[in-house]
Amino acid sequence: MHVVYPGSFDPLTNGHLDVIQRASRLFAKVTVAILENPNKRGQYLFTAEERLTIVREATAHLPNVEAATFSGLLVDFVKRVGAQAIVKGLRAVSDYEYELQMAHLNRQLLPGLETLFILSATRYSFVSSTMVKEIARYGGDVSKLVPPATLRALKAKFGQG
C-alpha cells in the first residue's frame, strides 16, 4: 500500500521522523507531502524547497520514502501520486479531534480514502515544530528534538553556526 504523510514540516522534528520511519516499515511506499499554503507564505520559517531538502536528507536511509511539495487539496495530491491512504501522527487528544474532522472531510471529498493514525512515541509527544522554532530562535539546544538535517538548517537560518 502507498500512503501519504502530509504536513507543513516547518521544521521536520524527530517526532515527524519517527512517524515516517514507522510508516515505512508498515507500508510499501510513503510519500511525505510538504504543504505549501500560499495564504501562509510569510508565516513559514523555511521555504517549501528548504523543507523538501531537509525531509529528503533526513529520510535518505529509507528506500521506500519519497518527499514532494504540494498546494491545494490533499485529496488531489493523493490522487495524483496514486496513494491509497493518508497517515497522520497523533500526539494528544487535541490532535485527534482535529485530525478526525479532517479525515471525515477528506473521505467526503474522495470516497473510500482512509486516514490511518500512528500514535507519537512517548518521548516525542511534547515536541512541536512551533516550540522547536521558538527554542532555536533564542539559541536553545534543540539537538535532541530534531534530526541533524533540521539542526543544520536551523543554525544556518538563525546565524548560529
Side-chain angles (χ1 to χ4, degrees), residues 7-138:
S8 61
F9 306 105
D10 186 42
L12 182 75
T13 68
N14 283 339
H16 295 133
L17 187 57
D18 178 62
V19 170
I20 294 166
Q21 290 171 328
R22 290 163 60 204
S24 76
R25 290 192 301 267
L26 296 170
F27 304 105
K29 184 176 182 182
V30 177
T31 299
V32 180
I34 302 162
L35 176 63
E36 176 57 33
N37 184 340
N39 297 327
K40 292 187 174 185
R41 245 188 209 120
Q43 297 174 33
Y44 292 120
L45 177 61
F46 294 102
T47 67
E49 284 303 313
E50 289 170 327
R51 290 179 277 146
L52 180 62
T53 299
I54 292 166
V55 170
R56 284 181 172 160
E57 183 178 333
T59 61
H61 65 289
L62 302 169
N64 62 332
V65 173
E66 64 180 29
T69 60
F70 80 102
S71 61
L73 294 175
L74 176 59
V75 294
D76 291 338
F77 180 80
V78 168
K79 284 191 283 191
R80 189 167 62 249
V81 299
Q84 291 78 45
I86 295 168
V87 166
K88 296 294 294 201
L90 296 177
R91 292 175 300 175
V93 172
S94 57
D95 287 348
Y96 177 74
E97 291 171 359
Y98 173 78
E99 295 301 346
L100 180 65
Q101 273 185 310
M102 295 305 297
H104 286 304
L105 285 170
N106 285 330
R107 193 170 337 137
Q108 190 73 32
L109 293 170
L110 184 57
L113 179 63
E114 295 296 338
T115 299
L116 308 167
F117 300 109
I118 294 180
L119 299 179
S120 173
T122 304
R123 67 185 177 277
Y124 302 126
S125 62
F126 64 92
V127 179
S128 74
S129 292
T130 301
M131 290 179 194
V132 164
K133 285 185 283 196
E134 193 69 11
I135 294 166
R137 179 174 279 117
Y138 292 105

